[in-house]
Amino acid sequence: IGAILGQILLTHFIKKVGWEFSVQIFAIAGFVLALAVVVFVQDFPPWQRPSTIKKAWKHPLYGLKEVLSSSQTWFLGLYGFSSWAPMVMFASLWGVPYIEAKYQVGSYQASIAIAMAWIGLAIASPIMGWLSDKSGKRKKFLVFTEVFGLIAAC
C-alpha cells in the first residue's frame, strides 16, 4: 500500500515543490524517524531482563558466516535481486516520466498507471507463493516467473 499511495503522493509533491526540496524534506524526515527509533525502541520488553535471554550462538558473526557460506543463499539473493530490482527501478525511478513522455499523459495518470503495477505485484505474489507451496514444485515456479518476466520486459 505504501508503494501504491506513495507513488501518487510523491509525484504530486515533487511537481509542487521540486525534487531538490523533496529530497531535503525526506532526508530530514528520515533523520527524525531514526532519532525516534533510537529514543523509543527498546531491545527487550520491560518485563524481560537481558540476563534471562539466551544467546543463539557464542559470537554474533557466527550466524552470518554460516549464511554467507551457503550457495543457496547466494543463488536466492541473486534471483531475488534480478527479479525485483527491475520492477523497483522502473516503477520508482523512471516509470512516471516514461509513461508521461510515451503516452502523453499527465503526472497523475502516469502515477496511477505505475500504482497499478504495484497492485498487480501485491495480488500476484501471494498467489504464486501459495501455488508454489501447494504444488511443492518451487523451482518450476521460480523458472516460470523469471521467464515470464523476461518475456514481459521485451
Side-chain angles (χ1 to χ4, degrees):
I1 292 176
I4 296 165
L5 293 176
Q7 186 72 45
I8 297 167
L9 297 174
L10 182 61
T11 299
H12 290 300
F13 188 72
I14 290 172
K15 290 283 183 183
K16 279 203 181 268
V17 301
W19 71 268
E20 295 96 346
F21 186 66
S22 298
V23 169
Q24 292 172 354
I25 292 295
F26 290 123
I28 291 168
F31 178 75
V32 169
L33 182 62
L35 187 61
V37 167
V38 168
V39 171
F40 296 110
V41 174
Q42 300 176 7
D43 288 335
F44 307 101
W47 65 87
Q48 192 175 31
R49 300 214 178 259
S51 62
T52 62
I53 297 174
K54 295 179 181 177
K55 293 184 178 181
W57 50 77
K58 293 181 182 180
H59 192 275
L61 295 180
Y62 174 77
L64 180 62
K65 179 182 172 188
E66 188 175 340
V67 169
L68 292 178
S69 66
S70 169
S71 62
Q72 189 173 20
T73 300
W74 288 100
F75 172 74
L76 289 174
L78 182 60
Y79 172 83
F81 174 78
S82 67
S83 62
W84 182 248
M87 171 67 179
V88 172
M89 284 190 288
F90 178 74
S92 299
L93 297 175
W94 308 307
V96 172
Y98 172 77
I99 290 175
E100 285 176 332
K102 176 79 174 171
Y103 299 105
Q104 302 300 313
V105 297
S107 61
Y108 180 74
Q109 290 86 1
S111 61
I112 292 289
I114 293 300
M116 293 301 118
W118 289 114
I119 290 171
L121 191 66
I123 292 169
S125 294
I127 291 171
M128 291 302 287
W130 179 79
L131 288 171
S132 170
D133 285 348
K134 194 79 169 160
S135 72
K137 299 178 181 175
R138 290 186 178 90
K139 184 176 178 181
K140 285 185 180 182
F141 276 89
L142 290 173
V143 171
F144 169 76
T145 55
E146 276 301 303
V147 170
F148 184 78
L150 286 172
I151 291 169
C154 295

